[in-house]
Amino acid sequence: MRKIIFTILIIIGCALQAQAQNEYERLRSIYDRAEENYNIGRLDEAEKELTDNLKDFPDNLRQSAYRLLALCNLGNDKEEVAEEITRLLLAENPYFSTNANDPQRFIDMVERIKEGRSATITTASSQAETLNEVPVPTTLITAEMIKNCGGRNLQEVLAAFVPGMTIVDCNDDINIAMRGIYSNGQEKILIMLNGHRLNSYATNIAAPDFSISLEKVKQIEVLRGPASSLYGGVSLTAVVNVITWQGADIDGIEVHAGAGSYGQLKASMMLGKRYFDLDLLIWGGLYKAKGQKIYVPDEETGLKREGGDALVGGIGPKPSYDVGAQLKYKNLSFLYNAQFSQIISPMTLNLLFTPYDYDKYRSFNSIKPSFATLSHHGELNYGQQLGNVYLKGTVTYDNSDLTHYQVISDNPAASIIPSLPIPSALKETLYNSDGGLSRYINGQEHTIGGKIQGDWSYINSKHHKGILSFGAEYSYFQLDDVQYMFGYNFDKQATSNDSIPELGKGHESNINSYVQLKHHWGPLILNAGLRFDYKNRYNDTKIREFSPRVALIFVQPKWNVKLSYSKSFIDAPYMYRKINLFLATFAGYKDLATELDPEALHSYQLTFGANQWLPGLDFEINGFYNRARNIIYMNIIEHENSGSSDIYGVELSAKYKYSNFTANLSAAWQDVKKSSINNTEFNFAFCTPKLSVSTVLAWQATKWLNVHGHIDYYSSQKSWTTDAIGYALYNSAVNHYGEMYKQWMINPTPENEKLMNQAEMAMYEAYQKVNVTHDFSPRVLFDLGATCKFGKLTISADVKNLFNKSYKQSGLNTGPIPQKGRWFMFDIGYKF
């Protein structure tokens, strides 16, 4: 009986074995067919076959299927899906290893997940890499961090998390400084949206203001230091790349509406969806504020008279807005973004820095006194993996309508008008006016460009891994319909020079190429790059600039060290060069217009980073030494390469997470070895603190309640400006000395020589009163906020400057400007 049962079991076992073998061969045939489809580019067919049968694959075949499925999604640029599948693969086999034939992006993804560091950036080396491997100090700001700091715009978010970046509103625009270097507008830092340049080609400006809505942001990648080796002539001190959500991340519609103090109103909407190979994100956001009136006494104004209410935080009658769309289909992607911002200056132009009556001034092209920019950005690119090379081609189009409408003075400014480099007839008109003086500049720019980029994985072995990145780019810029006018009596327009519109027009072209090598010898990485820029200016002046970068990086599981040198440049803005030409033409010496050279920055950095030395703690310490040359400053209303600075310092950034508590710390200490403006030596950085510390704290009190706070400390600061009265006295003394000198040359008597020497002494004494230094006390600001989430409904409240701290800030060649007091905002959002 037992023999019969045994025989039956053997027969059943053989039948089951045969059936299993047949099933395995069927599944193997499906996998082979999917692999064949992948190899010939039929990624969708391969993905469908694998997905439909994934649960039926045996263990060893399932691992291969996961790998191939991840490769299909990478080929279709679905990096998030590919990463999720790769995690499943490593869960099945933690010891899975890639091979030399795998695409480099897949190899990097596997290594990244194995090391437990899923946070990656693409800005530093034009390819995905972990924070431990980037060649320069880098700050990664996530959407969660943005909410925790309560930042209302990009400026506040950057100041909260990026060591070395400090708020420095210069009366002209929303602005930020990096390691003590800045301009009247934000033109030293490259700001990008998903890798697309937002900086104007005419002014180099991209203000971190309310025209960049934060609701659409997934993360912000910040390179601290020069980056011209990759990005050319705008990335002088830093690069900020704003990365949006993908449509699949949103998977529906999100709407927000908010209101707050001083006439604040805001609204935003996001629609995101993924349909098979099509990923779509559409966003829109707007913000407006009437602003806060703060009284400025007479003695704190440039002319020491006519104080009044300064309007702080005003956006203008028309709200700032940010609308855009991003579409991805397989290897093709499209981006469109339209932005508008209008910032009201709290006080008048430069050295006068006096409150003014905004409502009295006329409108030019529907714009009252403000800095207004309307921009459109478009980009189309296509990428393809070809063996060990990934290639991407991009075409871009950008245009902007730029308006700088600045009030000079509400009241007659007879003492300063003779010093302005403008025609005599115009001086007489302004001199005899009843005040209400203003300056209006407007122009429309258009830029088209194209570039090709590539990453070649030239080696991938046990001990070596190497990637060579390369690219070339061409851009053509043109400025049209330029206007440069003066106004008086609030609503009158002074006769303009008929040649100005033609003088303002022009076009410039730029050709550049770069190459970058990233090679791994085990834990040691060499990252070196070189870029060459060739620019043909509107007047046929040629600019040729080389931008090198070299970094050595040593990476260990819980720490890393980076040593780097980089040199960057930024060409003098087209508008600055044209304004100098306008002024020289007004004054009748067109051929002697001041020419401007590119600004340059050399930076040496040593960075130490550590991960999880204590549970939940990551930190980075960076030491730097920056040498800036040919920095452009405005001398009254003309621009000159009159500045230089040598700055050194130490930066600290840290993140700690324990249970439901999170803390982010960024701190920077910096000092000036030497600095100069207009041949005047200084031993301090203008309007930027020697020590700044920012701490963001967040506590998930319950499942539905998050409480967050922000503490901001700036040490004492100094500013330097030209005193209006002193400048007028100096010019009068110069003219008097000139007359005495002429008399002495005509009649060189001892008496005339004595009078000439007295006039010379008076001129030098007057010069001592031209420059004024302002001191600003240390300040600590507290912000507080909370977010409640009930299912799809979100309610939040944020209070900035909780204790209503009164303080002032100064900018480039302007006096103390009052800053915002206590502002609050309520927001409600819903996810459909």
Side-chain angles (χ1 to χ4, degrees):
M1 184 67 178
R2 283 184 290 180
K3 290 182 178 180
I4 296 173
I5 295 174
F6 185 73
T7 302
I8 293 172
L9 290 175
I10 290 176
I11 294 172
I12 293 174
C14 291
L16 291 174
Q17 176 67 22
Q19 183 178 357
Q21 183 65 30
N22 290 337
E23 178 64 10
Y24 179 82
E25 290 177 358
R26 183 183 75 83
L27 293 171
R28 181 73 202 190
S29 175
I30 291 173
Y31 174 82
D32 290 341
R33 189 164 62 248
E35 188 172 41
E36 182 180 352
N37 282 329
Y38 169 79
N39 289 332
I40 63 176
R42 295 177 178 173
L43 304 183
D44 295 335
E45 289 88 338
E47 182 179 350
K48 185 176 187 308
E49 288 178 325
L50 294 170
T51 303
D52 291 346
N53 297 278
L54 191 60
K55 64 181 180 180
D56 298 324
F57 286 133
D59 289 346
N60 59 339
L61 202 55
R62 188 183 301 120
Q63 292 177 29
S64 298
Y66 276 138
R67 170 190 167 276
L68 189 57
L69 195 54
L71 293 177
C72 289
N73 281 280
L74 272 180
N76 282 327
D77 265 351
K78 301 177 182 177
E79 189 159 343
E80 295 89 351
V81 179
E83 183 164 320
E84 181 179 348
I85 294 169
T86 306
R87 290 182 183 278
L88 295 174
L89 167 60
L90 292 175
E92 287 270 340
N93 179 12
Y95 303 102
F96 172 83
S97 297
T98 57
N99 59 64
N101 295 323
D102 285 333
Q104 190 61 46
R105 289 193 296 167
F106 178 68
I107 295 171
D108 291 340
M109 182 178 291
V110 170
E111 293 182 0
R112 185 171 70 245
I113 296 172
K114 275 186 175 182
E115 294 169 352
R117 297 172 303 204
S118 59
T120 63
I121 69 167
T122 59
T123 307
S125 301
S126 77
Q127 57 197 252
E129 57 189 351
T130 67
L131 292 175
N132 288 355
E133 295 181 359
V134 296
V136 294
T138 303
T139 300
L140 179 64
I141 304 170
T142 65
E144 179 185 17
M145 293 165 67
I146 293 173
K147 293 176 182 177
N148 287 343
C149 77
R152 294 165 294 189
N153 54 36
L154 183 59
Q155 177 206 48
E156 294 178 353
V157 173
L158 294 175
F161 292 110
V162 183
M165 280 195 180
T166 52
I167 290 176
V168 53
D169 287 339
C170 301
N171 190 43
D172 294 345
D173 211 344
I174 289 178
N175 202 354
I176 197 159
M178 180 64 186
R179 296 176 180 169
I181 298 177
Y182 62 97
S183 297
N184 287 314
Q186 194 301 103
E187 62 192 51
K188 311 298 188 191
I189 299 171
L190 173 63
I191 298 181
M192 303 189 294
L193 178 66
N194 292 338
H196 182 94
R197 167 178 168 157
L198 298 182
N199 295 66
S200 161
Y201 286 82
T203 64
N204 290 345
I205 290 175
D209 58 20
F210 295 96
S211 67
I212 303 175
S213 63
L214 297 178
E215 284 77 12
K216 69 177 186 295
V217 178
K218 179 179 183 179
Q219 65 185 45
I220 302 170
E221 302 170 2
V222 184
L223 308 186
R224 308 195 318 264
S228 286
S229 63
L230 273 181
Y231 298 107
V234 186
S235 48
L236 187 74
T237 61
V239 174
V240 176
N241 193 8
V242 177
I243 309 296
T244 63
W245 296 104
Q246 301 291 308
D249 298 323
I250 305 302
D251 192 28
I253 300 175
E254 283 189 19
V255 294
H256 286 264
S261 55
Y262 303 109
Q264 292 182 94
L265 294 172
K266 75 170 187 175
S268 68
M269 180 278 296
M270 274 193 302
L271 184 153
K273 272 293 182 183
R274 175 172 288 167
Y275 303 94
F276 301 103
D277 295 321
L278 178 66
D279 188 276
L280 174 66
L281 178 71
I282 299 174
W283 72 84
L286 61 85
Y287 174 89
K288 71 177 301 184
K290 293 181 179 178
Q292 176 185 3
K293 290 184 177 180
I294 300 178
Y295 182 74
V296 179
D298 294 357
E299 60 271 16
E300 294 183 8
T301 67
L303 292 174
K304 305 296 185 291
R305 58 182 175 84
E306 305 298 339
D309 289 330
L311 185 64
V312 179
I315 295 300
K318 188 177 181 181
S320 295
Y321 63 78
D322 173 12
V323 297
Q326 178 177 268
L327 184 148
K328 291 186 177 181
Y329 178 73
K330 295 186 177 179
N331 297 335
L332 186 70
S333 65
F334 169 76
L335 172 70
Y336 169 74
N337 184 217
Q339 303 171 298
F340 176 77
S341 66
Q342 184 178 5
I343 308 300
I344 299 174
S345 298
M347 302 178 79
T348 59
L349 175 69
N350 289 358
L351 69 169
L352 301 180
F353 54 94
T354 301
Y356 63 96
D357 192 334
Y358 172 83
D359 295 322
K360 284 186 177 181
Y361 289 83
R362 63 168 292 182
S363 295
F364 284 100
N365 298 324
S366 302
I367 299 292
K368 290 178 77 69
S370 62
F371 290 75
T373 304
L374 172 61
S375 301
H376 298 269
H377 307 280
E379 177 177 300
L380 181 67
N381 65 61
Y382 180 82
Q384 181 69 54
Q385 186 77 40
L386 302 173
N388 291 337
V389 178
Y390 178 77
L391 290 176
K392 185 170 76 170
T394 305
V395 293
T396 61
Y397 174 73
D398 302 88
N399 75 59
S400 294
D401 189 310
L402 313 164
T403 300
H404 281 195
Y405 183 1
Q406 300 163 289
V407 173
I408 299 174
S409 176
D410 267 9
N411 303 293
S415 60
I416 198 68
I417 289 173
S419 305
L420 299 178
I422 57 179
S424 299
L426 180 56
K427 284 184 181 180
E428 185 176 351
T429 299
L430 301 182
Y431 190 89
N432 294 321
S433 72
D434 294 326
L437 307 178
S438 62
R439 181 176 76 163
Y440 176 85
I441 307 172
N442 175 261
Q444 291 81 42
E445 64 171 283
H446 307 269
T447 306
I448 58 172
K451 60 183 174 181
I452 185 168
Q453 300 166 272
D455 296 312
W456 172 39
S457 176
Y458 61 88
I459 188 172
N460 184 31
S461 65
K462 182 177 180 181
H463 300 291
H464 294 274
K465 184 173 71 172
I467 301 175
L468 184 69
S469 299
F470 52 89
E473 181 179 8
Y474 170 80
S475 63
Y476 178 88
F477 156 82
Q478 182 170 312
L479 190 72
D480 300 317
D481 303 326
V482 178
Q483 299 181 66
Y484 190 102
M485 300 179 294
F486 285 89
Y488 66 99
N489 290 349
F490 299 100
D491 61 354
K492 303 295 183 183
Q493 176 184 331
T495 302
S496 177
N497 190 313
D498 294 336
S499 65
I500 291 301
E502 289 303 317
L503 281 175
K505 294 179 181 179
H507 60 82
E508 299 185 338
S509 59
N510 182 283
I511 301 174
N512 63 72
S513 60
Y514 76 88
V515 62
Q516 178 181 262
L517 174 70
K518 182 180 179 182
H519 193 99
H520 295 241
W521 291 273
L524 183 65
I525 302 172
L526 169 67
N527 191 311
L530 179 66
R531 172 169 167 142
F532 175 69
D533 281 79
Y534 175 85
K535 184 174 184 178
N536 187 20
R537 288 181 173 180
Y538 71 87
N539 58 0
D540 286 332
T541 302
K542 307 298 189 292
I543 302 297
R544 299 174 179 87
E545 289 285 343
F546 283 97
S547 303
R549 178 179 75 185
V550 60
L552 284 174
I553 308 162
F554 187 74
V555 179
Q556 289 295 292
K558 287 196 173 184
W559 59 276
N560 63 84
V561 178
K562 306 169 187 176
L563 176 64
S564 67
Y565 161 77
S566 53
K567 178 252 180 181
S568 63
F569 82 99
I570 179 171
D571 192 23
Y574 176 93
M575 193 63 77
Y576 286 3
R577 290 180 269 128
K578 283 292 188 178
I579 288 174
N580 283 359
L581 179 61
F582 296 162
L583 295 173
T585 303
F586 277 146
Y589 51 90
K590 175 182 174 182
D591 294 337
L592 299 178
T594 302
E595 188 62 86
L596 295 173
D597 297 321
E599 301 167 274
L601 178 67
H602 299 260
S603 183
Y604 305 84
Q605 303 191 81
L606 177 62
T607 311
F608 177 81
N611 304 311
Q612 302 297 306
W613 277 14
L614 295 175
L617 176 65
D618 296 335
F619 69 89
E620 179 187 80
I621 301 174
N622 177 62
F624 70 88
Y625 178 73
N626 284 356
R627 292 193 303 112
R629 297 295 182 265
N630 284 338
I631 300 300
I632 296 173
Y633 291 114
M634 186 160 63
N635 184 9
I636 311 304
I637 57 177
E638 187 180 44
H639 297 85
E640 299 176 352
N641 287 108
S642 60
S644 67
S645 68
D646 287 31
I647 300 176
Y648 57 93
V650 179
E651 300 166 342
L652 168 66
S653 58
K655 180 179 180 180
Y656 178 71
K657 184 174 179 61
Y658 176 76
S659 185
N660 295 331
F661 175 76
T662 303
N664 288 88
L665 171 71
S666 69
W669 175 87
Q670 61 187 26
D671 203 358
V672 172
K673 182 179 179 181
K674 59 180 178 180
S675 178
S676 67
I677 294 181
N678 297 333
N679 298 317
T680 302
E681 296 288 335
F682 297 92
N683 60 355
F684 59 88
F686 301 101
C687 311
T688 54
K690 183 174 287 190
L691 176 64
S692 60
V693 182
S694 174
T695 306
V696 177
L697 307 172
W699 176 42
Q700 192 68 40
T702 68
K703 184 178 180 180
W704 53 270
L705 175 63
N706 175 279
V707 181
H708 48 263
H710 177 208
I711 306 171
D712 204 20
Y713 169 77
Y714 279 16
S715 65
S716 60
Q717 302 172 55
K718 291 180 178 290
S719 75
W720 169 88
T721 187
T722 302
D723 181 78
I725 297 175
Y727 184 73
L729 291 173
Y730 172 68
N731 274 279
S732 177
V734 168
N735 292 333
H736 180 63
Y737 169 75
E739 290 298 322
M740 294 299 98
Y741 180 78
K742 288 179 183 178
Q743 291 186 24
W744 178 76
M745 289 293 290
I746 296 171
N747 186 17
T749 64
E751 182 64 25
N752 282 342
E753 183 179 5
K754 180 179 179 182
L755 292 174
M756 182 190 68
N757 291 335
Q758 290 175 347
E760 184 179 21
M761 183 61 68
M763 180 179 67
Y764 283 116
E765 289 177 354
Y767 181 75
Q768 304 305 313
K769 301 177 182 178
V770 170
N771 299 325
V772 175
T773 300
H774 302 278
D775 294 304
F776 300 90
S777 301
R779 67 174 186 258
V780 181
L781 303 180
F782 295 86
D783 306 331
L784 185 64
T787 301
C788 299
K789 190 168 185 178
F790 307 99
K792 296 183 177 182
L793 178 67
T794 303
I795 301 173
S796 64
D798 284 284
V799 182
K800 308 295 288 186
N801 195 357
L802 179 66
F803 299 111
N804 200 28
K805 171 73 174 178
S806 176
Y807 66 101
K808 294 180 175 63
Q809 178 77 47
S810 187
L812 210 56
N813 202 16
T814 190
I817 308 297
Q819 302 297 298
K820 287 178 281 193
R822 183 190 300 114
W823 285 48
F824 62 82
M825 170 70 75
F826 295 99
D827 179 90
I828 184 168
Y830 191 80
K831 172 79 178 287
F832 294 92

